[in-house]
Amino acid sequence: VTIAKAELWKLGQAKPGDRIRFKPISFDDALSLERAHDKAIADLAPLASLPPCRPAELEPITTVSATVLAALAPEGDRPAVAYRQAGDRYILLEYGPNELDLRSRFRVRALMEELRNNPVQGVLELSPGVRSLQINYDSRVIHQKELLDALLRAESRLPSVDTMKVTTRVVHLPMTFEDSGVLDAIRRYRETVRPTAPWLPSNIDFIQRINGLARREEVADIVFQASYMVLGLGDVYLGAPCAVPVDPRHRLLTSKYNPARTFTAEGTVGIGGIYMCIYGMDSPGGYQLVGRTLPIWNKFVKSPVFAPGEPWLLRFFDQVRFYPVEETELTRLRDDFRAGRATIRIEEEIFDLGAYHAFLDRESDSIAAFRARQQAAFREEVARWHADEAIPQPGDGEEIEVTEEIDGHLVTSHMHGNVWKVLVEEGQTISAGSAVVILEAMKTELTIAAPVAGIVRALYCRPGRLVATGDRLLVIEAA
């Protein structure tokens, strides 16, 4: 479900303890509500009585779901197309079944070019995915049905993509394999989130095992041999690529962290599912980590590598190819690249979709063998998880028991979460405002500061402990 734009103000007023109930409304009712709000703002007058909203029909009529506004069956070289309602300001278009096929991504590209060459009034932005296109539009300028009709007409004009050719940049990036930043993020996760996760203590060993590879060195070999084609941008933050190896035999398959990490260093390279991502900033994340490369987001430095007004390095259909460097060398390159003193090698190639599919046909036996081995290893790994879950796990020690009340200032937790770090010891003198405990929850860090100056008289928490809102953390005897 998506909240109607005119109703978002209600969420802005919500506070803990409030109750929220959803009710379905039609696009026309959402549009009427928005126009009523627009009129009140234009007149600088109180909001008049709102138009009544009729119960929306949730049963599908001509499609598999009431949320699918229209659908086209596959025909010739055109895949199936679904036009999904995504609130009252978006339509989400999806091509084909839920599987990776570069032809779907090329068709998304063809549709974007068609809409740029023949713009539809009211369309504000196009956001492509691997097999989808999200269309952001102003519902006050163009009605949802009118936009849907325009999209159906555009679809009928698209050329065949089977022989499509695109100019692709080959971007060569240095990468350190399993560097200290990767190991620190894994160690932190192990200490504070899920110490017995199957991808611990080494993401590389996990990737080797789940893909049926004989040696961990094969993980590095594949990563450095692969040519990762960028199919999406902004997968995590700040222009982070969603990229897939062109050769299916380089598509390492992984699960994502569950729960996710609360910290990943900027520039880290990860693999999730079969996709490669580069983290554009220090952030949470769930991809299995393999190494670190250059910053891919540069807002302030003028560099010929970055297009004017575009602080993101990578573009759609770029092919990223990593080459190995030592960590000390990467540290220097990162500083120089960020400061505009270093550049990278970028070449151009023509990617021929027809020739690519001819390559897939030639190598079909080898690709099938790789996938079979990979799937067998994946099933074996999942079976191991289920077996491990059935074994009772030992606790992390006795609970910290509160046996007496100590006079002083009690410091409590502001939220539910894990204790990541305890920064003080009993008997330590601290100043007001100094950090005493760091909590982690929902990919967020919260630093607890000392409300008063004094001496730490009791600690009621330790790293790795779960705490709830209001749980005691420590007692400070005020100075």
Side-chain angles (χ1 to χ4, degrees):
V1 297
T2 305
I3 307 299
K5 183 173 182 291
E7 296 286 88
L8 288 175
W9 67 271
K10 295 179 180 178
L11 292 183
Q13 305 297 317
K15 60 184 182 299
D18 286 352
R19 296 183 179 184
I20 296 174
R21 297 186 65 182
F22 298 104
K23 65 175 183 178
I25 64 174
S26 67
F27 170 82
D28 287 321
D29 286 336
L31 181 58
S32 296
L33 290 173
E34 186 171 13
R35 285 173 172 164
H37 280 260
D38 289 345
K39 187 176 187 305
I41 293 171
D43 296 342
L44 293 179
L47 187 65
S49 58
L50 295 174
C53 292
R54 300 170 298 280
E57 180 59 55
L58 295 182
E59 292 298 321
I61 300 175
T62 60
T63 61
V64 296
S65 166
T67 61
V68 178
L69 304 172
L72 298 175
E75 182 178 335
D77 64 353
R78 187 197 69 203
V81 193
Y83 301 83
R84 298 183 179 276
Q85 178 169 269
D88 54 345
R89 302 299 295 270
Y90 296 89
I91 287 179
L92 179 63
L93 181 151
E94 292 180 341
Y95 283 121
N98 188 18
E99 59 188 34
L100 176 63
D101 187 338
L102 289 186
R103 285 173 293 200
S104 295
R105 181 61 182 87
F106 274 67
R107 194 165 187 91
V108 170
R109 180 181 184 273
L111 178 57
M112 291 180 67
E113 289 184 344
E114 170 65 28
L115 293 176
R116 289 194 182 108
N117 294 333
N118 298 283
V120 177
Q121 187 177 13
V123 171
L124 305 176
E125 186 179 20
L126 302 174
S127 301
V130 175
R131 49 179 279 271
S132 65
L133 181 65
Q134 182 159 273
I135 298 104
N136 178 11
Y137 67 102
D138 189 337
S139 56
R140 297 163 297 185
V141 175
I142 183 170
H143 192 278
Q144 182 189 77
K145 187 177 185 311
E146 295 173 352
L147 175 57
L148 187 60
D149 289 341
L151 292 174
L152 289 167
R153 290 194 299 271
E155 185 66 34
S156 68
R157 297 192 296 265
L158 296 187
S160 171
V161 300
D162 285 342
T163 57
M164 184 178 291
K165 300 177 182 180
V166 298
T167 301
T168 173
R169 301 190 314 167
V170 179
V171 182
H172 298 269
L173 292 178
M175 186 179 79
T176 55
F177 190 75
E178 202 177 27
D179 72 315
S180 60
V182 165
L183 297 177
D184 286 346
I186 295 172
R187 175 186 53 78
R188 179 168 170 176
Y189 182 87
R190 187 179 186 180
E191 291 175 352
T192 63
V193 181
R194 189 180 172 189
T196 59
W199 43 86
L200 299 177
S202 168
N203 288 182
I204 302 302
D205 292 345
F206 174 73
I207 295 172
Q208 173 201 341
R209 188 172 70 242
I210 204 169
N211 284 277
L213 303 177
R215 300 174 298 111
R216 75 191 317 264
E217 289 78 13
E218 291 184 54
V219 178
D221 293 342
I222 290 175
V223 169
F224 288 116
Q225 291 169 6
S227 186
Y228 293 94
M229 177 170 281
V230 176
L231 303 183
L233 289 171
D235 178 50
V236 185
Y237 309 104
L238 301 184
C242 176
V244 65
V246 173
D247 188 333
R249 294 165 297 188
H250 294 156
R251 293 173 186 170
L252 296 170
L253 177 63
T254 74
S255 67
K256 295 183 180 180
Y257 278 44
N258 182 24
R261 291 181 307 279
T262 57
F263 178 80
T264 315
E266 173 265 317
T268 296
V269 179
I271 298 175
I274 59 173
Y275 295 102
M276 182 275 290
C277 176
I278 303 171
Y279 288 78
M281 61 180 287
D282 291 350
S283 63
Y287 282 30
Q288 302 294 330
L289 307 182
V290 296
R292 202 173 188 201
T293 187
L294 299 177
I296 59 169
W297 185 271
N298 197 330
K299 187 172 179 60
F300 301 109
V301 174
K302 293 182 179 180
S303 168
V305 177
F306 294 85
E310 296 182 0
W312 53 91
L313 173 64
L314 300 173
R315 306 172 189 172
F316 296 126
F317 297 102
D318 279 354
Q319 294 185 64
V320 176
R321 296 175 188 170
F322 296 109
Y323 62 91
V325 295
E326 295 296 327
E327 186 167 352
T328 52
E329 174 67 5
L330 181 69
T331 300
R332 182 188 66 79
L333 287 172
R334 283 174 52 82
D335 291 340
D336 290 346
F337 188 70
R338 186 180 287 109
R341 296 188 300 266
T343 187
I344 56 177
R345 181 161 60 100
I346 299 178
E347 304 162 336
E348 284 194 353
E349 291 182 358
I350 299 298
F351 187 87
D352 185 328
L353 192 58
Y356 173 67
H357 279 279
F359 158 77
L360 296 182
D361 291 339
R362 289 195 307 271
E363 301 296 330
S364 59
D365 291 344
S366 175
I367 293 170
F370 173 84
R371 287 173 171 167
R373 181 188 67 188
Q374 188 180 59
Q375 289 297 327
F378 193 93
R379 289 192 296 269
E380 182 179 340
E381 180 68 19
V382 172
R384 186 182 298 111
W385 298 350
H386 293 162
D388 290 345
E389 288 173 357
I391 301 174
Q393 298 296 321
D396 62 346
E398 298 180 357
E399 293 294 324
I400 299 176
E401 183 178 357
V402 180
T403 57
E404 60 178 331
E405 293 295 333
I406 298 178
D407 291 337
H409 197 101
L410 180 64
V411 180
T412 60
S413 173
H414 301 344
M415 66 177 185
H416 287 58
N418 290 301
V419 178
W420 176 39
K421 286 185 177 180
V422 178
L423 304 175
V424 295
E425 300 176 348
E426 289 187 6
Q428 180 178 339
T429 300
I430 58 176
S431 57
S434 60
V436 291
V437 176
I438 301 178
L439 306 180
E440 289 185 329
M442 296 298 290
K443 299 186 178 184
T444 303
E445 292 180 15
L446 176 67
T447 299
I448 306 296
V452 297
I455 300 173
V456 178
R457 287 304 183 194
L459 283 174
Y460 298 117
C461 63
R462 65 171 65 122
R465 286 281 178 187
L466 286 171
V467 293
T469 303
D471 282 359
R472 60 181 67 196
L473 300 176
L474 64 148
V475 170
I476 302 172
E477 180 182 330

